[in-house]
């Protein structure tokens, strides 16, 4: 008997609902489900990813995101045990955090959903250079599949930064807390919040402790592994695989560095300025048409903040004199403690929101968005 296409689809969902109730358990592969590998064309990614592992996706930078539309009533995710933490959004429901510990390879993202097509947005929220996360694919209900590939926003922002951009300590309310992965969450940073407010994609190149010419605690002469030196790599830990910039051309690049260069008061102003100068020149070579915004905020104060601003102002002035009028400056508010602190004196969640409000308003006007 030949069934109508819509009838087949409804039957698929009914079968999927029954299977979800009988065989979908977190952390087990289960029977009666369909595995779809990470290289499936219906899965869309945002951020720097590597395909070196067959049918899987690896990454190290926070903010890497996975977008998928799926049929059925449940969705499970497979990843390398110990990959770390993700924020998950299913349809229009509130986001929630999941963690792939050393004992987890499959986690249930949703079950018991209404019949129909659903969408999932999954963001990696940690710095993965130690954890080396690997996403392997999804399980959907038997008889179901992934739906049409999601279409991402046309607007594109690139954020280059340090621990502030990573989300270091943002889930803590105690400035005396040490760093732990449980307290890091890029989803709540000014970068991710700004992108959501402007309905834009965002790509992140950031690591805690890194600088424009000198990493935190390094000699004043500079660091060989400062951010500009790492910038071309797909994976922070792997210099053998270089990023193809044609895969993501931003409309605007936001650079928030300088805190680690100057925060301990030990730095060379000339080298600091030259670090900005050379990196902005490199970014302009890569992105001839993008606007570049040099940011300050929010952990610096006093002379270090003044010198970072002066170095960035110098470079912006030089670029304008050379005919490049698309390099800009913007200062987000320094933290005062009125909005609390995250771990180790880092921006609190409220401070990150304030930064996002300021930057989103600035970019909206700058970009005419």
């Amino acid at each position: 008997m030949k069934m109508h296409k819509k009838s087949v689809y409804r039957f698929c969902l009914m079968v999927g609902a029954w299977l979800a109730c009988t065989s979908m358990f977190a952390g087990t592969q289960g029977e009666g489900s369909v595995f779809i590998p990470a290289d499936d064309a219906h899965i869309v990614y945002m951020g720097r990813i590597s395909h070196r592992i067959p049918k899987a996706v690896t990454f190290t930078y926070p903010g890497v995101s996975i977008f998928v539309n799926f049929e059925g009533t449940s969705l499970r995710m497979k990843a390398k045990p110990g990959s770390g933490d993700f924020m998950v959004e299913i349809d229009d429901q509130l986001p929630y955090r999941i963690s792939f510990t050393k004992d987890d390879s499959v986690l249930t993202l949703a079950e018991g959903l209404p019949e129909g097509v659903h969408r999932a947005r999954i963001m990696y929220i940690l710095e993965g250079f130690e954890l080396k996360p690997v996403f392997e694919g999804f399980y959907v209900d038997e008889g179901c599949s992934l739906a049409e590939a999601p279409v991402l926003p046309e607007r594109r922002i690139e954020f280059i930064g340090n621990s502030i951009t990573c989300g270091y300590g943002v889930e803590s309310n105690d400035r005396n807390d040490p760093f732990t992965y449980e307290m890091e969450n890029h989803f709540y940073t000014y970068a991710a919040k700004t992108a959501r407010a402007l309905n834009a994609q965002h790509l992140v190149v950031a690591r805690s402790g890194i600088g424009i010419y000198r990493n935190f605690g390094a000699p004043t002469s500079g660091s060989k592994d400062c951010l500009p030196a790492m910038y071309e790599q797909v994976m922070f830990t792997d210099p053998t695989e270089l990023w193809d910039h044609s895969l993501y051309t931003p409309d605007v690049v936001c650079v928030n560095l300088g805190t680690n260069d100057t925060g301990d008061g030990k730095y060379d102003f000339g080298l600091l300025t030259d670090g900005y100068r050379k990196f902005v020149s490199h970014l302009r070579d890569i992105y001839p048409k993008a606007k570049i915004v040099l940011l300050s905020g929010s952990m610096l104060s006093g002379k270090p903040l003044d010198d970072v601003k002066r170095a960035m102002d110098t470079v912006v002035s030089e670029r304008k004199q050379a005919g490049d009028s698309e390099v800009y400056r913007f200062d987000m508010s320094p933290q005062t403690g009125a909005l609390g602190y995250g771990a180790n004196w880092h921006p609190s969640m409220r401070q990150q929101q304030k930064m996002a409000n300021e930057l989103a308003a600035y970019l909206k006007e700058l970009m005419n968005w």
Side-chain angles (χ1 to χ4, degrees):
M1 180 180 69
K2 185 176 181 180
M3 295 179 67
H4 191 274
K5 183 177 180 180
K6 290 185 177 180
S7 298
V8 172
Y9 181 64
R10 285 195 295 268
F11 177 73
C12 164
L13 294 178
M14 291 172 61
V15 172
W18 178 77
L19 289 170
C21 293
T22 58
S23 63
M24 299 297 176
F25 297 95
T28 64
Q29 292 188 14
E31 298 179 356
S33 60
V34 178
F35 179 69
I36 301 168
D39 65 346
D40 189 278
H42 295 87
I43 304 174
V44 176
Y45 297 93
M46 180 180 74
R48 292 191 179 187
I49 60 173
S50 170
H51 296 278
R52 281 191 168 179
I53 298 177
K55 296 187 177 300
V57 167
T58 58
F59 39 88
T60 56
Y61 289 114
V64 168
S65 297
I66 307 163
F67 300 84
V68 67
N69 297 325
F70 62 98
E71 300 173 351
T73 65
S74 71
L75 182 70
R76 293 181 300 148
M77 177 177 172
K78 184 178 181 182
K80 185 193 79 173
S83 285
D85 294 13
F86 299 79
M87 288 292 285
V88 179
E89 297 173 275
I90 303 294
D91 296 332
D92 295 319
Q93 303 302 310
L94 291 174
Y96 58 90
R97 182 170 181 153
I98 63 168
S99 180
F100 281 90
T101 71
K102 61 182 179 61
D103 299 318
D104 298 311
S105 59
V106 179
L107 292 178
T108 296
L109 305 187
E111 62 181 0
L113 296 172
E115 294 183 0
V117 175
H118 302 278
R119 64 180 182 273
R121 299 175 292 273
I122 304 154
M123 177 187 290
Y124 191 65
I125 56 174
L126 306 180
E127 301 169 64
F129 60 93
E130 291 181 327
L131 302 176
K132 297 179 175 57
V134 180
F135 167 60
E136 299 180 24
F138 291 113
Y139 287 95
V140 297
D141 296 343
E142 185 176 3
C144 295
S145 62
L146 298 186
E148 185 176 355
V151 177
L152 302 189
E154 292 184 2
R155 299 169 180 172
R156 294 184 173 189
I157 308 172
E158 180 170 322
F159 289 97
I160 301 170
N162 50 39
S163 57
I164 301 170
T165 304
C166 291
Y168 180 116
V170 72
E171 291 216 47
S172 167
N173 293 312
D174 187 346
R175 65 193 183 191
N176 296 312
D177 278 340
F179 173 82
T180 65
Y181 284 121
E182 289 78 13
M183 295 176 184
E184 186 168 60
N185 194 330
H186 176 76
F187 188 85
Y188 295 121
T189 62
Y190 76 93
K193 286 174 174 286
T194 294
R196 289 196 292 273
L198 296 174
N199 189 31
Q201 298 184 51
H202 81 291
L203 179 146
V204 178
V205 182
R207 182 199 166 178
S208 294
I210 208 160
I212 190 76
Y213 100 95
R214 170 184 177 262
N215 298 339
F216 186 79
T220 58
S221 57
S223 302
K224 292 182 179 180
D225 59 346
C226 59
L227 195 140
M230 302 287 104
Y231 181 69
E232 294 304 315
Q233 298 176 190
V234 175
M235 310 274 282
F236 186 83
T237 53
D238 185 1
T240 66
E241 185 177 9
L242 301 182
W243 175 245
D244 179 357
H245 292 285
S246 68
L247 296 175
Y248 186 93
T249 303
D251 302 300
V252 58
V253 181
C254 295
V255 182
N256 188 4
L257 294 168
T259 300
N260 292 303
D261 303 80
T262 65
D264 61 0
K266 302 174 183 178
Y267 55 93
D268 183 306
F269 179 78
L271 293 177
L272 174 70
T273 305
D274 199 44
Y276 281 109
R277 181 181 294 118
K278 290 178 179 177
F279 192 45
V280 168
S281 178
H282 182 57
L283 290 174
R284 177 55 70 223
D285 288 341
I286 297 170
Y287 306 125
K289 297 181 180 180
K291 296 182 188 298
I292 300 172
V293 181
L294 304 181
L295 302 174
S296 72
S298 62
M299 294 181 68
L300 290 176
S301 61
K303 188 177 186 300
L305 178 57
D306 292 340
D307 282 345
V308 166
K309 289 181 178 181
R310 185 157 60 98
M312 293 190 292
D313 288 341
T314 298
V315 172
V316 170
S317 177
E318 290 174 353
R319 297 299 304 186
K320 288 183 178 179
Q321 292 175 15
D324 183 357
S325 60
E326 298 292 355
V327 181
Y328 302 86
R329 282 269 296 103
F330 183 72
D331 300 316
M332 296 179 288
S333 295
Q335 59 193 19
T336 64
L339 298 177
Y341 293 100
N344 200 17
W345 297 84
H346 279 71
S348 67
M349 201 172 295
R350 288 182 291 164
Q351 187 72 40
Q352 290 274 11
Q353 182 63 65
K354 181 178 181 179
M355 296 162 66
N357 294 344
E358 295 170 343
L359 184 58
Y362 173 77
L363 291 180
K364 184 177 181 179
E365 181 176 353
L366 177 68
M367 305 302 297
N368 195 27
W369 284 348

